[in-house]
Amino acid sequence: MSDASPAVRGTDLGQSFGERVIYQHVTFQVKPGEVFVILGGSGSGKSTLLRQVIGLLPPVEGKVEILGRDVYAGGAEVLARIGVMFQSGALFGSMTLLENVMLPLEMHTALPPHARADVARVKLGLVGLGDAADLQPAEISGGMIKRAAIARALALDPPLLFLDEPSAGLDPATSAGLDQLILNLRQDLGTTFVVVTHELASILAIADRCIMLDKTARGVIAEGDPRQLRDASDNPTVQHFFRREAA
């Protein structure tokens, strides 16, 4: 891993809705080139934290920086350097996979149509969908939808990708294939990944480091290599999570 400045830095982040506090004092750093996982049980604030980091939900307190720039002060210039895969895939059903991947290129570049199509085909090839470019989302499986959404997130060659529950709803074999794709993209492209998930097998397969949010504690209760947390943490909540035990 690089010793350069953090790719993502969250400092003393807090979020509440009315009087309901979701979390407070959340601080973390994501190193360039690593796979960093935000994990925790249902209602712990994983997806809320992701929304804060990618500029969709201003924090009640604290600061988010991406590549050294304040997300909420830098605006579109900062957010143009990230790619996001939402949990559902969020593909446009009336478009082919090729057209979906071309969309960011149409919105943010001056490339002519044939060049946009060439780039989009390359991105689909990277995720193993080179032969599915002309299919629509309704014609492909859930795992292929997730891969197509990653291809679209890669369209502008961002150094950072944010994935929200990439394995949700997938069978174990498909989920394992998606985990391997993430690792391959990190190795081949040097992409930094921030992944929200509660899927234990995926966490142990892909994560270099993680933070664990807890609903009761309203914040971070563990940070580090998930394999070390599984084997050595003395926090009962962390132990229950990694051992798949009822609390």
Side-chain angles (χ1 to χ4, degrees):
M1 297 299 160
S2 170
D3 291 326
S5 298
V8 182
R9 189 198 308 265
T11 304
D12 205 27
L13 292 170
Q15 187 60 52
S16 59
F17 298 104
E19 296 185 359
R20 184 167 67 96
V21 176
I22 307 301
Y23 49 75
Q24 295 175 308
H25 310 303
V26 171
T27 295
F28 65 94
Q29 296 184 5
V30 180
K31 301 174 184 177
E34 77 174 340
V35 178
F36 184 87
V37 169
I38 301 170
L39 61 91
S42 178
S44 61
K46 303 185 300 295
S47 293
T48 299
L49 181 58
L50 180 69
R51 290 171 64 202
Q52 279 191 340
V53 173
I54 64 175
L56 296 180
L57 181 66
V60 171
E61 57 188 17
K63 182 178 182 180
V64 181
E65 296 168 275
I66 289 179
L67 303 173
R69 299 283 302 277
D70 187 318
V71 169
Y72 290 92
E77 183 180 344
V78 176
L79 297 178
R81 303 188 67 188
I82 69 173
V84 181
M85 190 216 79
F86 295 100
Q87 182 173 339
S88 66
L91 300 179
F92 290 94
S94 61
M95 295 181 176
T96 65
L97 300 191
L98 184 69
E99 290 167 339
N100 268 282
V101 178
M102 287 173 62
L103 191 59
L105 298 164
E106 294 175 11
M107 297 175 64
H108 298 290
T109 76
L111 292 173
H114 71 275
R116 296 197 298 262
D118 289 344
V119 172
R121 290 186 187 280
V122 169
K123 304 307 180 185
L124 286 168
L126 284 174
V127 301
L129 294 179
D131 295 331
D134 296 325
L135 298 179
Q136 292 185 336
E139 300 176 290
I140 62 176
S141 68
M144 293 172 73
I145 286 175
K146 299 295 181 77
R147 287 173 177 263
I150 291 175
R152 186 175 62 186
L154 287 168
L156 298 175
D157 296 320
L160 268 164
L161 280 189
F162 295 85
L163 311 182
D164 187 11
E165 298 283 5
S167 299
L170 301 183
D171 64 80
T174 302
S175 179
L178 198 62
D179 292 341
Q180 189 59 54
L181 172 63
I182 292 169
L183 294 176
N184 290 346
L185 291 173
R186 190 266 297 272
Q187 178 177 328
D188 295 342
L189 304 179
T191 307
T192 302
F193 284 88
V194 177
V195 182
V196 168
T197 184
H198 64 274
E199 300 286 347
L200 185 56
S202 291
I203 293 165
L204 296 174
I206 67 175
D208 295 304
R209 292 188 307 119
C210 67
I211 56 172
M212 182 173 182
L213 300 177
D214 179 66
K215 182 178 181 180
T216 301
R218 297 178 179 175
V220 176
I221 60 170
E223 179 177 1
D225 183 325
R227 290 153 289 273
Q228 294 179 359
L229 295 178
R230 175 195 61 191
D231 297 339
S233 176
D234 58 3
N235 184 303
T237 302
V238 177
Q239 292 176 353
H240 291 318
F241 181 90
F242 281 102
R243 297 172 185 173
R244 300 175 65 90
E245 298 172 345

